[in-house]
Amino acid sequence: MAGHTRNEITIAAPLDLVWDMTNDLENWPQLFSEYASVEVLKREGRKTTFRLTMHPDDNGTVWSWVSEREPDRENRTVRARRVETGPFAHMDIHWAYEEVPGGTRMVWTQDFAMKPEAPVDDDWMTDNINRNSKVQMALIRDKIQQAAGDRPAPALAD
């Protein structure tokens, strides 16, 4: 079995601003609430290899891993994958951006599988990613809309 998530949000801002802010890796700790730091390890063409470190979880554990990310501005997509997979057998990520009436739609798709010895299974991680993606996307939407000069959109209802 494997996990698959797809989450999307519309941001009331031009595609160029959404693209620029969400693809500025060094600024991710200010854009995402979950990341404490980003360390760029290597750049080759459009591909960046980097280490993400999260803030401590409720148990005080600090999670960190290395990923590769390759944006394709012309096609408005980003492909990423974990290089240091940790509890994942694999983690592949696809971001897509689309101009829509009223702004930019951003779609995050994640395909993954947990290792048999991981502390959680694919279903648990699917639920966790879906919950957290909604929170992070709403934060990102609000920050980008503020940068665009708009008032933040109302919080998502549960």
Side-chain angles (χ1 to χ4, degrees):
M1 193 169 127
H4 172 82
T5 64
R6 182 182 185 280
N7 290 278
E8 68 178 70
I9 196 162
T10 298
I11 302 169
L15 187 135
D16 286 338
L17 180 62
V18 176
W19 178 271
D20 290 346
M21 287 184 71
T22 59
N23 286 289
D24 178 3
L25 287 175
E26 288 87 351
N27 196 47
W28 275 13
Q30 287 71 51
L31 193 61
F32 291 81
S33 65
E34 61 191 343
Y35 299 139
S37 68
V38 175
E39 177 189 1
V40 173
L41 304 173
K42 180 171 54 173
R43 292 189 194 273
E44 295 178 90
R46 294 187 306 201
K47 186 188 301 180
T48 302
T49 304
F50 59 100
R51 175 171 296 284
L52 270 177
T53 302
M54 298 182 80
H55 294 288
D57 66 15
D58 292 340
N59 298 319
T61 303
V62 174
W63 298 95
S64 181
W65 63 91
V66 173
S67 290
E68 291 177 343
R69 184 174 172 82
E70 188 166 356
D72 180 350
R73 178 66 179 91
E74 183 178 310
N75 291 304
R76 302 174 178 175
T77 61
V78 178
R79 295 227 176 255
R81 71 180 185 90
R82 282 193 180 200
V83 177
E84 289 180 2
T85 58
F88 294 92
H90 68 88
M91 167 63 86
D92 299 307
I93 302 166
H94 180 257
W95 286 13
Y97 301 78
E98 178 187 6
E99 289 180 289
V100 296
T104 303
R105 178 180 299 127
M106 183 174 63
V107 180
W108 294 350
T109 305
Q110 292 173 268
D111 290 296
F112 60 91
M114 303 308 294
K115 291 178 179 173
E117 66 274 15
V120 298
D121 63 14
D122 292 340
D123 289 338
W124 186 95
M125 187 56 71
T126 298
D127 290 343
N128 185 62
I129 289 171
N130 279 328
R131 259 191 324 275
N132 191 52
S133 291
K134 287 172 181 50
V135 169
Q136 295 304 314
M137 287 179 131
L139 288 170
I140 290 167
R141 175 201 58 210
D142 292 350
K143 288 175 183 179
I144 293 173
Q145 288 179 177
Q146 277 187 318
D150 294 337
R151 282 191 231 153
L156 295 175
D158 287 308

mmCIF file of all heavy atoms in Angstrom, residues 39-58:
data_model
loop_
_atom_site.group_PDB
_atom_site.id
_atom_site.type_symbol
_atom_site.label_atom_id
_atom_site.label_comp_id
_atom_site.label_asym_id
_atom_site.label_seq_id
_atom_site.Cartn_x
_atom_site.Cartn_y
_atom_site.Cartn_z
ATOM 1 N N GLU A 39 18.804 24.662 4.864
ATOM 2 C CA GLU A 39 20.212 24.790 4.505
ATOM 3 C C GLU A 39 20.391 24.275 3.079
ATOM 4 O O GLU A 39 20.161 23.091 2.810
ATOM 5 C CB GLU A 39 21.074 23.965 5.463
ATOM 6 C CG GLU A 39 22.545 23.982 5.110
ATOM 7 C CD GLU A 39 23.361 22.995 5.933
ATOM 8 O OE1 GLU A 39 22.795 22.267 6.765
ATOM 9 O OE2 GLU A 39 24.581 22.950 5.714
ATOM 10 N N VAL A 40 20.754 25.163 2.164
ATOM 11 C CA VAL A 40 21.003 24.750 0.783
ATOM 12 C C VAL A 40 22.358 24.050 0.741
ATOM 13 O O VAL A 40 23.372 24.602 1.168
ATOM 14 C CB VAL A 40 20.961 25.964 -0.175
ATOM 15 C CG1 VAL A 40 21.398 25.548 -1.580
ATOM 16 C CG2 VAL A 40 19.560 26.562 -0.212
ATOM 17 N N LEU A 41 22.364 22.812 0.237
ATOM 18 C CA LEU A 41 23.580 22.009 0.177
ATOM 19 C C LEU A 41 24.244 22.076 -1.194
ATOM 20 O O LEU A 41 25.468 22.035 -1.292
ATOM 21 C CB LEU A 41 23.266 20.550 0.531
ATOM 22 C CG LEU A 41 22.594 20.338 1.890
ATOM 23 C CD1 LEU A 41 22.181 18.883 2.057
ATOM 24 C CD2 LEU A 41 23.527 20.778 3.016
ATOM 25 N N LYS A 42 23.420 22.155 -2.249
ATOM 26 C CA LYS A 42 23.978 22.140 -3.596
ATOM 27 C C LYS A 42 22.939 22.661 -4.584
ATOM 28 O O LYS A 42 21.744 22.422 -4.430
ATOM 29 C CB LYS A 42 24.360 20.692 -3.948
ATOM 30 C CG LYS A 42 24.944 20.492 -5.315
ATOM 31 C CD LYS A 42 25.508 19.083 -5.536
ATOM 32 C CE LYS A 42 24.518 17.998 -5.241
ATOM 33 N NZ LYS A 42 24.983 16.642 -5.605
ATOM 34 N N ARG A 43 23.433 23.376 -5.594
ATOM 35 C CA ARG A 43 22.581 23.815 -6.711
ATOM 36 C C ARG A 43 23.221 23.320 -8.003
ATOM 37 O O ARG A 43 24.408 23.535 -8.221
ATOM 38 C CB ARG A 43 22.459 25.332 -6.736
ATOM 39 C CG ARG A 43 21.687 25.920 -5.581
ATOM 40 C CD ARG A 43 21.415 27.414 -5.809
ATOM 41 N NE ARG A 43 20.969 28.080 -4.615
ATOM 42 C CZ ARG A 43 19.698 28.157 -4.216
ATOM 43 N NH1 ARG A 43 18.759 27.606 -4.922
ATOM 44 N NH2 ARG A 43 19.373 28.795 -3.109
ATOM 45 N N GLU A 44 22.414 22.665 -8.813
ATOM 46 C CA GLU A 44 22.852 22.204 -10.130
ATOM 47 C C GLU A 44 21.755 22.570 -11.115
ATOM 48 O O GLU A 44 20.697 21.947 -11.105
ATOM 49 C CB GLU A 44 23.046 20.688 -10.145
ATOM 50 C CG GLU A 44 24.146 20.173 -9.255
ATOM 51 C CD GLU A 44 24.233 18.660 -9.299
ATOM 52 O OE1 GLU A 44 24.967 18.148 -10.150
ATOM 53 O OE2 GLU A 44 23.554 18.021 -8.490
ATOM 54 N N GLY A 45 22.008 23.577 -11.949
ATOM 55 C CA GLY A 45 20.959 24.033 -12.855
ATOM 56 C C GLY A 45 19.765 24.499 -12.049
ATOM 57 O O GLY A 45 19.891 25.301 -11.127
ATOM 58 N N ARG A 46 18.587 23.951 -12.364
ATOM 59 C CA ARG A 46 17.375 24.318 -11.616
ATOM 60 C C ARG A 46 17.202 23.501 -10.341
ATOM 61 O O ARG A 46 16.381 23.831 -9.496
ATOM 62 C CB ARG A 46 16.133 24.120 -12.500
ATOM 63 C CG ARG A 46 16.082 25.055 -13.681
ATOM 64 C CD ARG A 46 14.791 24.956 -14.439
ATOM 65 N NE ARG A 46 14.488 23.589 -14.846
ATOM 66 C CZ ARG A 46 13.665 23.260 -15.825
ATOM 67 N NH1 ARG A 46 13.048 24.201 -16.508
ATOM 68 N NH2 ARG A 46 13.436 22.004 -16.135
ATOM 69 N N LYS A 47 17.954 22.394 -10.204
ATOM 70 C CA LYS A 47 17.786 21.491 -9.062
ATOM 71 C C LYS A 47 18.560 21.998 -7.856
ATOM 72 O O LYS A 47 19.725 22.366 -7.951
ATOM 73 C CB LYS A 47 18.264 20.096 -9.410
ATOM 74 C CG LYS A 47 17.971 19.079 -8.307
ATOM 75 C CD LYS A 47 18.609 17.738 -8.552
ATOM 76 C CE LYS A 47 18.151 17.122 -9.838
ATOM 77 N NZ LYS A 47 18.786 15.810 -10.080
ATOM 78 N N THR A 48 17.887 22.005 -6.706
ATOM 79 C CA THR A 48 18.511 22.374 -5.439
ATOM 80 C C THR A 48 18.392 21.202 -4.480
ATOM 81 O O THR A 48 17.316 20.614 -4.334
ATOM 82 C CB THR A 48 17.813 23.606 -4.823
ATOM 83 O OG1 THR A 48 17.871 24.684 -5.761
ATOM 84 C CG2 THR A 48 18.483 24.029 -3.525
ATOM 85 N N THR A 49 19.499 20.871 -3.836
ATOM 86 C CA THR A 49 19.509 19.873 -2.770
ATOM 87 C C THR A 49 19.629 20.646 -1.466
ATOM 88 O O THR A 49 20.482 21.530 -1.341
ATOM 89 C CB THR A 49 20.686 18.893 -2.942
ATOM 90 O OG1 THR A 49 20.601 18.305 -4.240
ATOM 91 C CG2 THR A 49 20.657 17.812 -1.874
ATOM 92 N N PHE A 50 18.760 20.342 -0.510
ATOM 93 C CA PHE A 50 18.707 21.139 0.713
ATOM 94 C C PHE A 50 18.281 20.304 1.897
ATOM 95 O O PHE A 50 17.668 19.251 1.747
ATOM 96 C CB PHE A 50 17.746 22.327 0.530
ATOM 97 C CG PHE A 50 16.333 21.921 0.196
ATOM 98 C CD1 PHE A 50 15.349 21.897 1.180
ATOM 99 C CD2 PHE A 50 15.974 21.558 -1.097
ATOM 100 C CE1 PHE A 50 14.047 21.511 0.876
ATOM 101 C CE2 PHE A 50 14.678 21.181 -1.411
ATOM 102 C CZ PHE A 50 13.711 21.158 -0.418
ATOM 103 N N ARG A 51 18.631 20.773 3.096
ATOM 104 C CA ARG A 51 18.207 20.143 4.341
ATOM 105 C C ARG A 51 17.120 20.998 4.975
ATOM 106 O O ARG A 51 17.299 22.205 5.160
ATOM 107 C CB ARG A 51 19.373 19.994 5.311
ATOM 108 C CG ARG A 51 18.926 19.448 6.685
ATOM 109 C CD ARG A 51 20.076 19.091 7.585
ATOM 110 N NE ARG A 51 20.868 17.999 7.051
ATOM 111 C CZ ARG A 51 20.507 16.701 7.074
ATOM 112 N NH1 ARG A 51 19.349 16.352 7.604
ATOM 113 N NH2 ARG A 51 21.305 15.792 6.564
ATOM 114 N N LEU A 52 16.014 20.354 5.300
ATOM 115 C CA LEU A 52 14.922 20.994 6.039
ATOM 116 C C LEU A 52 14.963 20.499 7.474
ATOM 117 O O LEU A 52 15.125 19.291 7.706
ATOM 118 C CB LEU A 52 13.566 20.601 5.448
ATOM 119 C CG LEU A 52 12.982 21.449 4.353
ATOM 120 C CD1 LEU A 52 11.667 20.849 3.866
ATOM 121 C CD2 LEU A 52 12.783 22.869 4.796
ATOM 122 N N THR A 53 14.822 21.397 8.412
ATOM 123 C CA THR A 53 14.745 21.031 9.823
ATOM 124 C C THR A 53 13.476 21.646 10.390
ATOM 125 O O THR A 53 13.214 22.839 10.203
ATOM 126 C CB THR A 53 15.980 21.532 10.596
ATOM 127 O OG1 THR A 53 17.148 20.980 9.987
ATOM 128 C CG2 THR A 53 15.921 21.133 12.064
ATOM 129 N N MET A 54 12.687 20.811 11.049
ATOM 130 C CA MET A 54 11.425 21.265 11.622
ATOM 131 C C MET A 54 11.632 21.771 13.043
ATOM 132 O O MET A 54 12.642 21.470 13.679
ATOM 133 C CB MET A 54 10.412 20.121 11.615
ATOM 134 C CG MET A 54 10.078 19.631 10.215
ATOM 135 S SD MET A 54 8.840 18.338 10.214
ATOM 136 C CE MET A 54 7.369 19.337 10.387
ATOM 137 N N HIS A 55 10.656 22.514 13.524
ATOM 138 C CA HIS A 55 10.622 22.865 14.942
ATOM 139 C C HIS A 55 10.365 21.571 15.725
ATOM 140 O O HIS A 55 9.774 20.629 15.185
ATOM 141 C CB HIS A 55 9.504 23.876 15.219
ATOM 142 C CG HIS A 55 9.733 25.201 14.580
ATOM 143 N ND1 HIS A 55 10.693 26.088 15.013
ATOM 144 C CD2 HIS A 55 9.129 25.801 13.521
ATOM 145 C CE1 HIS A 55 10.666 27.175 14.268
ATOM 146 N NE2 HIS A 55 9.743 27.021 13.343
ATOM 147 N N PRO A 56 10.761 21.498 16.988
ATOM 148 C CA PRO A 56 10.509 20.287 17.774
ATOM 149 C C PRO A 56 9.021 19.936 17.807
ATOM 150 O O PRO A 56 8.165 20.831 17.882
ATOM 151 C CB PRO A 56 11.012 20.644 19.171
ATOM 152 C CG PRO A 56 11.959 21.786 18.958
ATOM 153 C CD PRO A 56 11.461 22.526 17.752
ATOM 154 N N ASP A 57 8.720 18.638 17.732
ATOM 155 C CA ASP A 57 7.327 18.206 17.816
ATOM 156 C C ASP A 57 6.890 18.181 19.284
ATOM 157 O O ASP A 57 7.650 18.589 20.178
ATOM 158 C CB ASP A 57 7.113 16.859 17.111
ATOM 159 C CG ASP A 57 7.832 15.691 17.774
ATOM 160 O OD1 ASP A 57 8.278 15.814 18.937
ATOM 161 O OD2 ASP A 57 7.943 14.639 17.113
ATOM 162 N N ASP A 58 5.680 17.697 19.529
ATOM 163 C CA ASP A 58 5.140 17.683 20.896
ATOM 164 C C ASP A 58 5.981 16.855 21.864
ATOM 165 O O ASP A 58 5.935 17.065 23.072
ATOM 166 C CB ASP A 58 3.698 17.159 20.887
ATOM 167 C CG ASP A 58 2.749 18.118 20.189
ATOM 168 O OD1 ASP A 58 3.097 19.317 20.049
ATOM 169 O OD2 ASP A 58 1.659 17.673 19.768
#
